[in-house]
Amino acid sequence: FCWNFAAVTAFFVGRAVRDALFLAHESPAQLPYMYIASPIAVTLVGLAYGRIAPRFPRERVVVATPLVFAALVVAARLVLGPSWLYYALYVGVECLGALAMMQFWLTAGERFSPRDAKRWFGVIAAGGTAANIVIGFVLRAAVGHTGAEDLLWLVVGALVAVAGLAWSVGRRPHPREAGRSAPKSGAKASTPRAHGKDEPVAGTSHLRLLAPLIACTMLAVTLLDFQFKAITTEHYDADRVAMVEFFGTLSIVTGTASLIVQLALTGKILGRFGVAGALLLLPSTMALGAAALLVVPSLIAATVSKFGDQTLRYTVHDAGMQIVYMPVPRAVRAKKKAFLDTVVRPASEATVGAFLLGYRALSGALWPLAIAALVVSLVWIALVVRLRGAYAGAVAETLRRRRVMPVELDEEHATREAASAVRGVLRAGERAEIVRALELAKASRLVAAGALASAEIAPFVTHDDAGVRAAALVALGPAAGEASARALADPVLEVRAAAAVALHQIGDAAQRAMAIEHVTSSVTSDEPSVRRAGLAAVAELGDPAWTEPVVALLGARRWRRPTLEALAAIGAPAERAVLAALDGDDAAARSGALHALAVIGSPSAVARLVACATTERTPLDDEILRDAACAALWAAARRGAQLETSQVREVVAAARRELEVVFTAMAAADGLGRRESTLVPDGTRRAVPFLLDSAEGAAALISRALRERSERATARALDLIGAADPTLSLDVARDNLREPEPTRRANAVELLEAQRWSSPVAPLRALVLAAIDESPRDRKLAIAERGLELPRHTRDGWLLSLLADADPWIVCCAAYLAGASGVVAARERLDALTRDERALVAETARTALARLDPTSSAEARMLTTADKVLFLKGLELFAQVPGADLAEVVAATEEVELDDDERLFGEGEPGDALYLIVDGRVAVLRGSTTLAELGVREVLGEMALLDPAPRSATAIARGAVRLLRLGRDDFVNLLSERPEVAAGVIRVLTRRLRAAGDKAAEGAPGR
């Protein structure tokens, strides 16, 4: 803010003095020469800067630039005579403004993400606006005492301040580098490079529109500025003081208006209308100003036009233009911005200067200039409209970071090259090379295309290596002939599966029947490897004859992926069987059936998905299955399934209901008075205290439960919106919302905000962006209240409302908080819940009532399910697992109590369980050496669960100890179902290995 204040002070004071001195001594007819000379000077300075600056650290260049300009101003004031001073000032001020503003916004752009920029650029730019106001008062007060020329010393002082502030900012750590490890000494920073000569770097495709857009900006603004100055000169004649006072008054008025726009409107405009909406304001205002000058060419009309320019160009427009550069990689951004600011911008100004020079020689009328400004403004508006889509595409490019080969090979040429390569390997290759060559032959269909003769591959069907035999059968396909029938008796499963696929493709009814029988027996086999091969064969061939045995596997989580791939190959013939599985009692099978319908994608399958995903009280009646229904509907849309108009309306209405769930959960957490957990730079949330037997721990538990509800509902809403509007880049955005890097998450939100939402889903845009943005909760709720009717309760009212919730886990958490916080108003409701048929709810309600009873015993008690979940939530291992899922996990745990010196397990014993310390301390020993001493919330035994080797150490209690034991089988099942637990295990092991390494290093000689 202060840096911008000082930079704008130097620029605006210099410009005001320059304009007053020049217009008082020179004719307005000389202005076109300045419009030509200034851009040429800016271009030359910019080119010189582009050659010199990269040779030095950016921080030093940014500090040196204003000092150099300060020295030049001093020299000009002391050495140059009046006439030369005016011309030097006119050119020098433009060079100063171009370089100072470019350096400032490049630095700011590197320290903010687009989302942060929308919030803060308005405030930062307000520094310049505040300077504008101060400048106006200073000019009015000082010019009568000092004269216009001596105000240049104020410019020098401001430039020195700019250098000092730039030096101070450069010394501070980079905010966007927080949480990242520092590069190793001597490592070079990577810069994005294109693969081909003409291939653009990801995230730069929209820049091609910036050159014409900036050109239109300079043309329109310069044309209107010329008319303003011409009319002002005619009005004030040669009265320098009066003109400076007029310029000072205009600075005060425009500065005040700009400050209001900056602080009160810029962030809201950028947040509500996006970058394109912000960039449309200035050209629209310029068009209206040109029209006004065309109708009434007076000082008032010219001043109003200038007022619009000064109020919007350096506020909303500047902030929007800086954000446009942000998807561009840093190394490219500086180069592109320097080119646009020091070449395109001044070249455009020089062009209009040359035009005005010729025009003034022919005519003195101003109305044709107003027409030209109006036309240019309309073109400018059209370019901004086009920029909207291009900017969204640039953000998507930045997030994808994918490269495309610049040249595609001719298909026939590629086939010949592949066949030649395969022949060479088959003649003299090793086993692994032959297998890869045969896979290439299959992938390129070389036998079917006639590029490779079947006789060249047939000998490998009888190769000694089973992998070669299988690959040869697959490559031959139907050309394998009788060899495939004989291979059905091969002792190796892989070869038999390949033979069945080849046999099925031959077409003979008897041989196809043999293949079908073989694959069916494989799919129904109890041997995992045999079943896997059978499902792969179904996925290869897609014969409806295998529908029933494949559908029967939908309930087996282990086989979900190969089963879905097989059903995708079968397609519509499998739909009836899939629908039957959806109507069954097996929840896992129903979830698999939903995804299978997405793969099938027929109109009837999509209709069933819409019905499951949009019914307010879904027949699935399980949040996990509801998640699956919404995800499956989006997957179907991504595969090309088309929704009917009525279905789109249903889906949008369901998305709105999900968003109501999102913000109601936020409002409940806010109403309970629980402060929101904050994000840390690696994308995780800062730890909150999950403390047993405390109101703080209970509050943390229900806060987390409500946030998990909000996140799941947000995911469903995004799925539904993606199904209703497949043109949105939701896949890219969601992938990046899960990234640990804050900038990528912010860019994901920016991508969705920048894209054009179709009319059915557009009303939900603001709600969705508020739900996924990382802004404070109160800001999100303020946005939600404008589009939704959210309930309002007192703290106890929210608690009573949650005690009546349909979700048993939410009810459990609310009861737990009521007991821990002593909410007497909940006693009646808790008493009713003790008779609830849901064991989890009844158990927690009884415990809560006991806590509300002042006469209840304070003795140690057994841990309830809620206690155990609260405890597990405080562990790094389980922190990311939803509480409702942990409630199922803790059902498999058991409490273990040890006395002092009692052994938990011994070295060499089989590792069959994971232990979590609830109270006390446990020593880990190897022989007589103590390796570690673990306390509350520490985990031990996890290595034995991941590695079947015997225990590597002995664990002994140090004092009384209470632990939770989770058996090996339950833990392994949890790892397979919840990948975030596996990530937690990796974090725990990494930390322990690092601690062990540090300990070893401390004991090493010389350290």
Side-chain angles (χ1 to χ4, degrees):
F1 179 95
C2 296
W3 183 359
N4 195 22
F5 183 96
V8 172
T9 297
F11 176 61
F12 272 81
V13 171
R15 194 174 68 172
V17 173
R18 175 201 73 181
D19 289 347
L21 292 175
F22 190 90
L23 293 176
H25 289 81
E26 305 292 340
S27 167
Q30 302 298 316
L31 280 175
Y33 293 104
M34 293 297 97
Y35 289 156
I36 297 173
S38 295
I40 292 174
V42 170
T43 301
L44 293 175
V45 170
L47 292 174
Y49 176 85
R51 285 184 171 274
I52 297 172
R55 301 178 183 178
F56 303 94
R58 169 81 64 81
E59 293 77 9
R60 294 183 183 178
V61 174
V62 173
V63 172
T65 301
L67 294 178
V68 170
F69 272 103
L72 291 175
V73 171
V74 172
R77 178 69 182 89
L78 297 176
V79 176
L80 296 179
S83 296
W84 286 108
L85 175 63
Y86 307 148
Y87 287 103
L89 271 180
Y90 209 104
V91 173
V93 166
E94 294 301 321
C95 295
L96 165 64
L99 288 184
M101 292 298 102
M102 179 186 69
Q103 289 178 338
F104 173 79
W105 286 113
L106 275 175
T107 304
E110 291 169 0
R111 290 175 172 257
F112 293 90
S113 70
R115 300 298 300 167
D116 293 331
K118 288 182 177 179
R119 299 188 189 116
W120 293 109
F121 273 14
V123 176
I124 293 171
T129 307
N132 207 355
I133 298 174
V134 173
I135 291 165
F137 284 109
V138 169
L139 290 177
R140 285 177 60 87
V143 67
H145 302 287
T146 65
E149 291 85 349
D150 287 338
L151 287 175
L152 291 176
W153 299 116
L154 178 58
V155 177
V156 173
L159 288 172
V160 173
V162 168
L165 290 164
W167 176 79
S168 175
V169 171
R171 293 184 63 196
R172 297 180 183 180
H174 201 299
R176 286 166 65 184
E177 297 297 326
R180 301 180 188 176
S181 58
K184 295 182 179 180
S185 178
K188 293 183 179 180
S190 60
T191 56
R193 293 184 301 170
H195 283 230
K197 181 178 179 180
D198 298 323
E199 183 189 1
V201 176
T204 63
S205 58
H206 65 303
L207 294 184
R208 66 182 184 275
L209 290 174
L210 290 188
L213 190 147
I214 289 173
C216 285
T217 304
M218 296 311 301
L219 290 173
V221 167
T222 306
L223 286 171
L224 292 173
D225 179 71
F226 177 81
Q227 295 173 80
F228 167 73
K229 289 177 178 176
I231 294 173
T232 302
T233 303
E234 182 180 350
H235 187 274
Y236 285 102
D237 198 11
D239 190 343
R240 287 185 298 171
V241 173
M243 270 195 285
V244 171
E245 289 178 346
F246 171 72
F247 289 142
T249 303
L250 183 61
S251 291
I252 294 172
V253 175
T254 58
T256 303
S258 297
L259 194 60
I260 294 172
V261 171
Q262 291 284 27
L263 298 179
L265 298 177
T266 298
K268 293 181 179 179
I269 291 171
L270 286 167
R272 176 66 181 85
F273 300 104
V275 174
L279 294 180
L280 278 173
L281 282 177
L282 182 59
S284 301
T285 303
M286 293 293 94
L288 292 175
L293 282 173
L294 184 62
V295 176
V296 186
S298 63
L299 180 61
I300 295 177
T303 304
V304 170
S305 174
K306 189 66 175 178
F307 173 83
D309 173 24
Q310 297 281 39
T311 302
L312 297 176
R313 181 148 56 119
Y314 301 103
T315 57
V316 179
H317 186 77
D318 254 8
M321 284 298 292
Q322 305 314 317
I323 294 172
V324 167
Y325 288 102
M326 299 192 76
V328 182
R330 177 180 178 179
V332 181
R333 184 190 310 153
K335 181 179 179 181
K336 295 288 185 181
K337 186 169 175 57
F339 172 76
L340 292 170
D341 285 356
T342 62
V343 176
V344 174
R345 188 184 301 272
S348 304
E349 190 174 358
T351 300
V352 74
F355 166 77
L356 290 173
L357 186 63
Y359 177 79
R360 291 291 287 179
L362 299 175
S363 172
L366 296 179
W367 64 266
L369 299 180
I371 293 177
L374 179 60
V375 172
V376 171
S377 298
L378 295 176
V379 175
W380 182 1
I381 291 172
L383 288 170
V384 172
V385 172
R386 286 195 60 192
L387 179 65
R388 176 180 182 175
Y391 173 70
V395 177
E397 286 176 26
T398 301
L399 294 176
R400 288 191 182 98
R401 295 291 187 195
R402 292 176 181 169
R403 299 296 186 191
V404 180
M405 291 300 292
V407 179
E408 294 185 3
L409 292 176
D410 174 75
E411 184 176 350
E412 183 179 351
H413 176 72
T415 301
R416 289 197 305 270
E417 290 293 326
S420 176
V422 169
R423 285 192 187 94
V425 174
L426 293 181
R427 292 193 189 101
E430 298 292 333
R431 179 259 173 197
E433 294 174 341
I434 291 174
V435 171
R436 286 195 292 270
L438 292 172
E439 289 173 350
L440 174 60
K442 167 62 179 175
S444 302
R445 302 178 59 85
L446 298 181
V447 175
L452 203 65
S454 58
E456 296 179 79
I457 297 178
F460 293 94
V461 174
T462 58
H463 196 275
D464 292 339
D465 186 88
V468 173
R469 295 199 300 273
L473 286 167
V474 171
L476 283 171
E482 294 298 325
S484 57
R486 292 191 299 271
L488 284 178
D490 195 283
V492 179
L493 166 68
E494 182 183 6
V495 179
R496 295 200 302 271
V501 173
L503 198 62
H504 187 280
Q505 294 173 330
I506 291 175
D508 180 85
Q511 292 172 322
R512 289 188 63 188
M514 289 174 59
I516 289 172
E517 182 181 357
H518 177 83
V519 173
T520 301
S521 63
S522 299
V523 172
T524 56
S525 172
D526 293 331
E527 179 64 35
S529 58
V530 176
R531 178 177 290 177
R532 187 177 297 106
L535 288 172
V538 176
E540 175 74 21
L541 301 172
D543 195 311
W546 295 308
T547 299
E548 294 298 332
V550 171
V551 170
L553 296 176
L554 279 175
R557 188 180 300 274
R558 177 178 182 180
W559 302 105
R560 181 75 50 76
R561 184 183 296 276
T563 298
L564 291 177
E565 292 174 352
L567 289 173
I570 295 172
E575 183 176 342
R576 181 176 296 181
V578 172
L579 290 173
L582 181 60
D583 295 330
D585 297 328
D586 188 339
R590 284 186 285 164
S591 179
L594 288 166
H595 290 287
L597 290 176
V599 171
I600 293 170
S602 66
S604 55
V606 172
R608 186 62 183 273
L609 288 176
V610 171
C612 291
T614 61
T615 306
E616 290 192 51
R617 288 293 293 174
T618 173
L620 300 173
D621 218 24
D622 185 320
E623 191 172 25
I624 295 176
L625 292 175
R626 193 177 185 87
D627 293 343
C630 295
L633 183 60
W634 183 40
R638 291 168 66 189
R639 288 174 174 270
Q642 298 292 323
L643 300 186
E644 297 177 0
T645 303
S646 59
Q647 292 175 330
V648 171
R649 286 197 295 268
E650 292 179 49
V651 169
V652 172
R656 184 181 181 84
R657 290 195 295 272
E658 296 294 352
L659 290 169
E660 288 177 357
V661 173
V662 171
F663 291 106
T664 301
M666 287 186 193
D670 193 60
L672 291 174
R674 177 65 186 168
R675 63 181 177 82
E676 191 176 20
S677 56
T678 56
L679 285 168
V680 293
D682 66 355
T684 60
R685 289 190 175 267
R686 194 174 302 282
V688 290
F690 289 96
L691 306 174
L692 289 172
D693 298 319
S694 74
E696 183 70 11
L701 189 63
I702 194 168
S703 174
R704 183 65 64 88
L706 289 168
R707 180 163 62 80
E708 289 164 356
R709 166 180 279 188
S710 178
E711 289 172 349
R712 293 181 82 159
T714 299
R716 291 194 295 270
L718 291 175
D719 287 335
L720 293 167
I721 288 171
D725 186 1
T727 62
L728 292 174
S729 300
L730 277 174
D731 52 344
V732 179
R734 294 179 75 171
D735 286 346
N736 284 273
L737 284 172
R738 291 188 284 265
E739 288 291 327
E741 187 183 350
T743 302
R744 296 195 69 175
R745 297 196 303 272
N747 281 339
V749 182
E750 178 69 10
L751 169 61
L752 292 183
E753 185 175 74
Q755 285 194 303
R756 185 179 186 85
W757 293 46
S758 64
S759 54
V761 299
L764 302 181
R765 176 178 175 274
L767 294 173
V768 171
L769 294 176
I772 64 176
D773 197 7
E774 293 174 3
S775 55
R777 186 169 57 198
D778 56 349
R779 183 179 299 170
K780 296 183 179 209
L781 290 173
I783 294 173
E785 288 173 351
R786 294 198 290 265
L788 300 171
E789 293 184 6
L790 299 179
R792 296 176 180 271
H793 298 295
T794 62
R795 181 179 182 276
D796 288 356
W798 274 115
L799 196 59
L800 293 173
S801 173
L802 294 173
L803 284 171
D805 198 88
D807 185 346
W809 176 242
I810 293 292
V811 176
C812 173
C813 292
Y816 194 71
L817 177 61
S821 303
V823 181
V824 179
R827 187 188 300 274
E828 182 178 350
R829 179 61 186 161
L830 289 172
D831 183 62
L833 289 174
T834 60
R835 298 179 291 278
D836 196 285
E837 61 182 10
R838 298 166 294 187
L840 172 63
V841 173
E843 174 196 56
T844 312
R846 286 193 294 269
T847 304
L849 276 178
R851 290 184 174 183
L852 288 176
D853 186 357
T855 63
S856 64
S857 173
E859 297 179 0
R861 57 182 175 81
M862 295 293 289
L863 295 175
T864 65
T865 300
D867 288 324
K868 293 178 181 179
V869 172
L870 180 64
F871 176 75
L872 293 179
K873 271 296 196 179
L875 297 173
E876 185 179 19
L877 202 62
F878 300 101
Q880 303 305 316
V881 182
D885 295 343
L886 280 181
E888 298 177 6
V889 173
V890 299
T893 64
E894 60 177 316
E895 285 190 56
V896 177
E897 294 186 356
L898 302 177
D899 295 327
D900 186 27
D901 286 334
E902 187 175 352
R903 193 177 71 165
L904 179 63
F905 55 75
E907 184 176 351
E909 294 178 0
D912 60 349
L914 167 80
Y915 293 94
L916 311 160
I917 304 174
V918 180
D919 292 311
R921 300 189 68 78
V922 175
V924 180
L925 302 93
R926 182 172 297 153
S928 60
T929 303
T930 300
L931 301 178
E933 192 167 302
L934 306 178
V936 176
R937 295 191 185 278
E938 294 279 6
V939 184
L940 67 157
E942 74 284 351
M943 282 295 293
L945 290 183
L946 300 175
D947 185 352
R951 300 279 192 190
S952 60
T954 299
I956 297 179
R958 294 293 189 233
V961 176
R962 181 163 55 163
L963 309 99
L964 290 181
R965 180 184 184 277
L966 179 61
R968 177 189 180 91
D969 292 340
D970 295 315
F971 185 72
V972 171
N973 289 336
L974 179 63
L975 285 180
S976 64
E977 296 179 9
R978 307 300 310 190
E980 57 269 36
V981 177
V985 172
I986 293 171
R987 286 195 295 270
V988 170
L989 295 179
T990 301
R991 189 182 66 246
R992 290 193 181 175
L993 288 172
R994 186 181 295 116
D998 292 343
K999 186 174 181 180
E1002 289 173 4
R1007 294 193 66 176

